[in-house]
Amino acid sequence: MIPFNKSYVGGCELEFIRDAIESNTLSGDGAYTKRCNSWLSKELGSQFPLLTQSATAALEMAALLADLNPGDEVIMPSYTFVSTANAIVLRGAVPVFVDIRPDTLNINEKLISGAISERTRLILPVHYAGVACEMDEILRIARIHKLLVLEDAAQGIMSSYKGRALGSIGDMGAISFHATKNISCGEGGAFLTSNPEIAERAEIVREKGTNRSKFFRGEVDKYNWVSTGSSYLPSELNAAYLAAQLDVAREVTKRRLEMWERYNSEFLALERAGVVRRPTIPPGCIHNAHIYYLILPSLAFRTKFIELMKGVDVSCTFHYVPLHSSPCGVEKGRLGSEMSVTEDFSERIVRLPIWPGLEEKQGYIIKSCHEVIQKLLSRKENY
Ligand SMILES: *Cc1c(COP(=O)(O)O)cnc(C)c1O
């Protein structure tokens, strides 16, 4: 079976982990965390990056830092991972779900203004598949209504929008280093901000609400409980693994992009024939080939496609069940627009395997996709 995803191993992970063990500092914020933070700062242009245990943790930090109160509203897509909404709901705030664009499956910026109320505090765009949302327009709306912007850039490492790295464009951003992401340490993430006032509070929130980081820098003579917080920093073991991964981030991205381009050219004819739709990359966006997807003709077609691909040992998967129709989303959220694109596309999307090391099998995957699609098109059930 060809797996849908496989984590890439750069080569120096064990060496760095051994070094972390021998240095006898396994708790957070040691040399490897600092090394990762400076990589993030240099490569993403974020002035105050902080390594976290996950993107979920970074989103929760951001929700605390935004001072959300019960009843406050946050505008986000429904087509996203649960962590985007959980971070908001954990503060008692209300996710307001807005439909996505059919081309990128990102939040439809034209629907945001219509979802704003007097309780709106934050806009939370998600860069799906590492392809940027229309950030200029989102920032413009945020400025007019005095709202904060938090980017869920969990999938967006090495992607950019008009030259700016995803996650470093809004007031705050979250990156994921989960095993399913392009660059990973199993479970890991980063909180990004370039706002010094937010950065100062972020450091405290991440360290259980204490000013311990200031203490370690010698800026205060003892450390204190100064605000509400939690523990969001990862162990040096994770940071050591991640440091080795960041060293090869460029190479990993290049290999993924080559595979992405190959899929994209091999499915052009099917798109022209009106059978599938391929991903769209808007001008000004550089993406990281996190996902290669196709939009198939129907839900029934997709179900059969995944089943038949499994029959030839290729693991393909669907993606999010829209949050607005999930039990918790119905209870805790509200609709900020109609949801036709979300409902339609979430039923028809299929993701194909893409990971460095899969190159020699890609021809077989593409051939199998074509055969399965032709087979389904020729059946009289007419999916
Ligand atoms: C993966 C992902 C997350 C969660 O990342 P973790 O690091 O696993 O917490 C959040 N949002 C989106 C859009 C994701 O893809």
Side-chain angles (χ1 to χ4, degrees), residues 237-254:
L237 290 177
N238 281 40
Y241 191 100
L242 182 61
Q245 292 264 309
L246 293 174
D247 282 352
V248 296
R250 226 170 271 284
E251 175 193 328
V252 167
T253 309
K254 183 169 167 281

Side-chain angles (χ1 to χ4, degrees), residues 53-57 59 80-84 126-128 152-155 175-178 180-181 186-189 290 319-320:
Q53 290 156 0
S54 60
T56 303
L59 291 165
T80 182
F81 189 57
V82 291
S83 295
T84 321
V126 178
H127 304 296
Y128 184 67
D152 183 336
Q155 302 173 9
I175 301 255
S176 174
F177 300 116
H178 184 265
T180 53
K181 303 303 200 276
E187 301 279 354
H290 177 57
H319 213 179
Y320 307 126

Side-chain angles (χ1 to χ4, degrees), residues 48-50 52 57-69 72 74 87-88 91 121-122 148-150 171-174 190-207 209 227-230 232:
F48 308 106
L50 291 169
T52 58
L59 291 165
E60 287 181 21
M61 278 179 65
L64 273 161
L65 291 161
D67 287 324
L68 294 178
N69 289 309
D72 284 348
V74 175
I88 302 315
R91 306 260 59 79
R121 300 290 313 281
L122 182 73
L148 289 168
V149 174
L150 162 60
D171 300 284
M172 298 180 275
F191 170 88
L192 305 180
T193 188
S194 289
N195 176 321
E197 187 264 333
I198 294 176
E200 189 176 356
R201 291 193 297 130
E203 186 179 83
I204 291 167
V205 161
R206 177 170 165 274
E207 264 283 23
S227 86
T228 322
S230 188
Y232 293 120

Side-chain angles (χ1 to χ4, degrees), residues 194-337:
S194 289
N195 176 321
E197 187 264 333
I198 294 176
E200 189 176 356
R201 291 193 297 130
E203 186 179 83
I204 291 167
V205 161
R206 177 170 165 274
E207 264 283 23
K208 300 96 182 162
T210 71
N211 55 1
R212 186 164 160 173
S213 304
K214 279 190 175 157
F215 173 71
F216 284 140
R217 289 196 300 266
E219 293 166 24
V220 289
D221 57 11
K222 58 181 180 307
Y223 79 82
N224 246 316
W225 184 25
V226 291
S227 86
T228 322
S230 188
S231 183
Y232 293 120
L233 64 169
S235 143
E236 276 287 287
L237 290 177
N238 281 40
Y241 191 100
L242 182 61
Q245 292 264 309
L246 293 174
D247 282 352
V248 296
R250 226 170 271 284
E251 175 193 328
V252 167
T253 309
K254 183 169 167 281
R255 286 179 70 177
R256 295 185 76 104
L257 279 166
E258 281 164 9
M259 298 181 73
W260 194 100
E261 292 296 347
R262 182 168 175 201
Y263 275 138
N264 212 39
S265 59
E266 300 271 9
F267 293 120
L268 171 64
L270 274 178
E271 183 177 75
R272 291 216 169 124
V275 178
V276 302
R277 226 218 54 208
R278 300 175 306 154
T280 308
I281 311 298
C285 298
I286 292 176
H287 73 109
N288 61 2
H290 177 57
I291 295 174
Y292 192 83
Y293 68 79
L294 292 173
I295 306 295
L296 297 175
S298 68
L299 173 59
F301 193 109
R302 181 181 75 178
T303 307
K304 279 285 169 197
F305 177 86
I306 291 174
E307 186 189 308
L308 294 177
M309 288 299 286
K310 199 171 165 196
V312 293
D313 292 333
V314 183
S315 179
C316 301
T317 61
F318 50 87
H319 213 179
Y320 307 126
V321 175
L323 299 183
H324 75 276
S325 55
S326 308
C328 195
V330 169
E331 188 192 329
K332 307 284 189 185
R334 79 167 173 87
L335 286 182
S337 78

